[in-house]
């Protein structure tokens, strides 16, 4: 399984739907329909939510841009996976500081911490060797 480029491309395409859709919905800021409670009308909070959700959309777009050439783009792929993984670390800190979020957020957390590690390993198995110029 870890030798199939097409399977990896399909998995990444499916996984990238989550940050794309949640990011697009999240661009509504404090009026995000996914929130179970209304958030306070706070300009800084709203601005940060919109900015960070735009970054989520950018992560998804980055994954989609790498998919066609996944075997060649190891560095870019790892940077995007690292961003997702660090987002998961941020969620862990939030849990430590404020408590356990709703179940769907726990699902995102599991994906953010586990999927990058697995797909980086998988991409390594199909990556083309890098040609290095000897000086």
């Amino acid at each position: 399984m870890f030798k199939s480029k097409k399977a990896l491309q399909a998995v990444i395409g499916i996984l990238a739907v989550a940050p794309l859709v949640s990011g697009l919905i999240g661009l509504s800021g404090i009026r995000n329909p996914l929130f179970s409670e209304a958030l306070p009308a706070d300009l800084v909070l709203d601005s940060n939510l919109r900015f960070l959700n735009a970054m989520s959309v950018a992560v998804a777009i980055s994954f989609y841009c790498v998919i066609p050439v996944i075997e060649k783009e190891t560095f870019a792929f790892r940077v995007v996976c690292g961003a997702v993984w660090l987002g998961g670390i941020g969620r862990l800190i939030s849990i430590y500081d404020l408590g356990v979020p709703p179940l769907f957020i726990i699902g995102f957390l599991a994906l953010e911490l586990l999927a990058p590690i697995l797909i980086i390993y998988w991409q390594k198995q199909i990556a083309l060797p890098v040609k290095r110029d000897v000086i």
Side-chain angles (χ1 to χ4, degrees):
M1 177 183 155
F2 286 114
K3 297 288 185 180
S4 173
K5 174 184 167 182
K6 290 204 182 298
L8 175 60
Q9 290 170 313
V11 166
I12 293 167
I14 292 166
L15 288 175
V17 169
L20 180 64
V21 171
S22 67
L24 289 171
I25 293 169
L27 287 173
S28 56
I30 59 171
R31 293 177 185 84
N32 186 331
L34 296 177
F35 297 146
S36 58
E37 299 175 12
L39 295 178
D42 182 294
L43 177 63
V44 174
L45 175 61
D46 186 74
S47 177
N48 280 328
L49 285 171
R50 291 175 196 262
F51 176 82
L52 294 171
N53 279 289
M55 293 296 103
S56 187
V57 172
V59 163
I61 291 169
S62 298
F63 274 126
Y64 287 124
C65 289
V66 170
I67 287 173
V69 289
I70 190 69
E71 75 282 4
K72 298 177 187 174
E73 292 293 337
T74 298
F75 181 75
F77 184 71
R78 288 181 181 179
V79 168
V80 178
C81 285
V84 171
W85 188 82
L86 285 173
I89 296 298
R91 286 193 201 272
L92 280 178
I93 294 168
S94 178
I95 289 171
Y96 177 78
D97 282 349
L98 300 175
V100 179
L103 188 58
F104 77 95
I105 299 293
I106 298 296
F108 282 140
L109 172 63
L111 277 174
E112 291 159 353
L113 293 177
L114 300 175
I117 294 166
L118 293 172
I119 62 177
I120 283 173
Y121 173 78
W122 193 347
Q123 190 274 344
K124 182 179 178 184
Q125 302 306 308
I126 59 123
L128 295 175
V130 177
K131 292 182 181 178
R132 299 188 189 267
D133 292 330
V134 179
I135 300 178

